[in-house]
Amino acid sequence: MTGYFLRRALGALAVVLVLSAVVYATFYIAPGDPARLACGPRCNPEQIRQVREQLSLNDPVYVQYWHFLQGIVSGHDYSTGTGVLHCQAPCFGLSYQNDQQVTDLIVQRLPATASLATGAMVVWLLLGTGTGLLSALRRGGLTERVLTWLTLAGTATPVFISGLGLLMLFCAYLEWLPFPTYVPLGDDPEQWAWNMLLPWLALGLLESAKYARLTRSSMLETLAEDHIRTFRAYGATERSLIARHALRGAVAPVVALTAADFGSMFGNAMLTEMMFGLPGIGQLLVNATRTIDLPVVVAVVMVTGTAVVIANIVADLLYAAADRRVVLR
Amino acid sequence: MTTVTDTPLVVVDDLSVRFPTGTGDGVVRAVSGLSFTLAPGGALAVVGESGSGKSTAAYALLGLHRGTGAEVTGTVRVAGQDVQAADDAALRKLRGGTAAMVFQDPLSSLDPYQAIGDQIAEVHRLHHPGAGRRASRARAVEVLDRVGIPDAARRARSRPHEFSGGMRQRALIAMALACDPRLLVADEPTTALDVTVQAQILGLLRELREETGMGLILVTHDLGVAASSVDELLVMKDGRAVEHGPAREILARPREDYTRELLAAVPRVNVRRETVRTPKGDDSVLLEATGLRREFGRGRKTVTAVDDVSLTIRAGETVGIVGESGSGKTTLGRMLVRLLEPTGGELRYEGREIGGLKDRELRSFRSELQMVFQDPVSSLNPRRSIGESIADPLRAAGRLDDAAIVARVRELLERVGLDPDAYHRYPHEFSGGQRQRVGIARALAPEPKLIVCDEPVSALDVTTQAQVVRLLGELQRELGLAVVFIAHDLAVVRQVSDRLVVMRGGRIVEEGPADTVYERPRHAYTQGLLAAVPRLEPAEATA
């Protein structure tokens, strides 16, 4: 088991490193001058040259990349002209735009994204899995048909359309909810929940049809297995067949996919974040990409990449825990 | 046995089961007009080939067709209960309480997520709602102990995958015993098991019957298994009863042609093979293995599958390799054709060492060493026509142009007894036996000198089995092929082999001319294996 973790951790590290290297390289191939953008529109060539010097943009790419990696491991000192700014490890450098420490930027933005991903997961699990179970076990009922239609519609609609629709319906027309502004969970849990409700719904709906399909097919597959037949032949009621024997097997792949999807939400929820103005990681990434703010972009990609890799490991562990026949090695 | 006062345990009268096919209004008649009775404590075997409707009939005894869309007509009574008319609650009471079913595949028939003891306890509680958890658990341990699971109290906590195949089958039988049923319906209970384990399970069923006085309905395709376990036989074909009567009588004097065919097809372990190989003078050594080894895994988890095996295969001879599951026979077979690299020892093909060759260097030998696999379903690509599958090795060899390849494939199809025009048809359109013929044609395509057949007939019915074995024999004589025939069924191996190799735990325990080994086995293990083979004794007397 220790060997398993060690190998998975090394693999994860390799993935994240390759990811960061690719992003670094892409930025140097892509057009645009970060120094000009960092300096602002009214800079003269001399000022731009100074900024370029200050940001170490004149060093060869691999040297810059190496310094960047060094910063992550052991921190970095930056001269601010008047003094020295110490950036503690893990240091992802300073933003080209406003000299803020990238690590701080990300830490500030994580709670909003984590809130969004967690709530959306609850929505897709309740709505998607519920619909899937219903359509496997009680196909053709009105509730089942409405829910199936709803999940399909939710998935088929881009989030900036469905989000807009939700905002107009609940905030503008019905006035049941305020237009969402992000309130940190620590400040006021109730306001946090009310304000997050629409983003959760929008993102959760987007994922729910996939879960409905997976749950339905997984449930039907499990119900067709031989051991279900065994207990049916021993007089078990259909209800107990499902509750005692089918549910666990049917849910295992759903749990594993949920863990993996939860991880990918850190990078994939950016549209929802933009739509509802949530100060999350995705929003940070979009803004940083627009201004060629390399340290921020690389750091965000590394963080989201790490989230995905960790989520996948967790997914495997959960799957193995659900199905004891699976041996991790 | 049946007296006037005895009400029969099972009455089946004019039973028909039809499955709507889904397309249009077509139906498949799986069982038509079946009638039989079983006295309390009696034992009946329902025998037939796959598709004969024997399992479908057995399922009807427990009302298992209810809710599946199958149309069931006729009467089925079990212990006086009309299965067709019973309401759901009464049917649930019958299932497991009065009549219990033992299923074929013990691994998939148990819940993989739950401890075996818990599963048996659940069945007990279903029929004894008043019994506490503790009492049901105790009952589970009791029945597990009864069916011969050692250290039952501890093993009751194991999950199915932690049991061996034989133990799982015992556990399924224990589950059936949990509520003292009056009837046991066993659907191919030994098909997946080795001969020695099969003999143990059949012995256990016999003992239980004597001890508890329960009735037994045994569904099997194996006449040998039926002959040694029951008093009465019911032979089915295409959903109908062909012949029904005392087992002894049917086996000794079958009245119907179909029964005779079936009996004739059963390979006999104690009968010499009809055609013995005539040495063609070319007795040169084709393949020679010396001290061959193969380990799997690393470190403490290393498993030695084949351990120091030395074996010589001469041109044109058939070497049978028998052994139980886990004996290393398949690993050895795969090494002989170099699908698997040996981890030790030497392997010489026509005098040249090929054991350590890389894939690229092996390419020139590939066409001369071919393999026929066990499962003709999964070893053919379902998305390619069978003609293309057979042509693959020819294209890989790259010696023939397209037209020549098609001509050769058609010739091969004809040679293995298939229609040459079947070139463009797909595997699912063929029966199991036909698919195995395709597998053989594919192995023959590159004109090999040796083919290794790994359990080539174990997935087939006896009559199909006999045809495929005959085909292999003909091809071998005609083409002068050397054949390595790997199987767990000793009777089948006897019908094809010149020489026999008996394997156990990765080693060869006995080797010699086939007839010598079968008639005068020297090693205790071989003797045990041979003793475990079920025989058609009554038939043998008059055959």
Side-chain angles (χ1 to χ4, degrees), chain A residues 226-227 229-237 240 244-245 248-249 322-325, chain B residues 59 62 92 95-96 101 103 108-114 119 122 127 159 161 176:
Chain A
D226 286 350
H227 66 268
R229 180 191 63 185
T230 303
F231 287 92
R232 187 175 285 132
Y234 278 99
T237 58
S240 93
R244 280 170 165 274
H245 300 288
R248 186 168 176 180
D323 189 341
R324 296 276 194 95
R325 291 167 299 176
Chain B
Y59 280 27
L62 277 79
R92 282 202 298 272
R95 293 173 176 177
M101 187 126 181
F103 290 96
S108 65
S109 296
L110 287 163
D111 189 330
Y113 303 118
Q114 290 182 14
Q119 301 187 42
E122 183 188 339
H127 294 280
R159 282 174 178 68
H161 69 275

Side-chain angles (χ1 to χ4, degrees), chain B residues 51 90-91 104 174 294 330 394 439:
Chain B
L91 193 59
Q104 172 170 7
R294 173 73 203 201
T330 293
L394 294 172

Side-chain angles (χ1 to χ4, degrees), chain B residues 339-418:
Chain B
L339 278 178
L340 204 63
E341 192 174 340
T343 47
E346 284 173 18
L347 184 65
R348 290 180 173 280
Y349 174 70
E350 292 188 324
R352 193 178 154 189
E353 172 64 36
I354 60 166
L357 292 189
K358 298 266 170 301
D359 274 353
R360 232 158 45 85
E361 303 164 310
L362 272 170
R363 210 167 281 167
S364 51
F365 298 100
R366 286 275 183 232
S367 62
E368 295 178 21
L369 304 169
Q370 286 292 316
M371 186 135 185
V372 174
F373 298 93
Q374 168 172 14
D375 186 349
V377 181
S378 61
S379 59
L380 287 171
N381 185 340
R383 285 173 198 86
R384 308 193 62 190
S385 76
I386 59 154
E388 286 305 306
S389 282
I390 298 171
D392 275 343
L394 294 172
R395 292 195 207 284
R399 281 191 293 267
L400 299 174
D401 63 26
D402 253 22
I405 286 174
V406 173
R408 170 95 178 114
V409 171
R410 290 178 63 93
E411 180 191 317
L412 282 164
L413 281 171
E414 196 159 12
R415 185 59 209 87
V416 297
L418 293 171

Side-chain angles (χ1 to χ4, degrees), chain A residues 6 20 31 40 43 74 97 101 103 140 246 293 310 321 325 329:
Chain A
L6 206 64
S20 65
C43 278
S74 54
Q97 282 297 305
Q101 292 195 19
T103 314
D293 197 345
I310 290 176
R325 291 167 299 176
R329 54 181 158 203

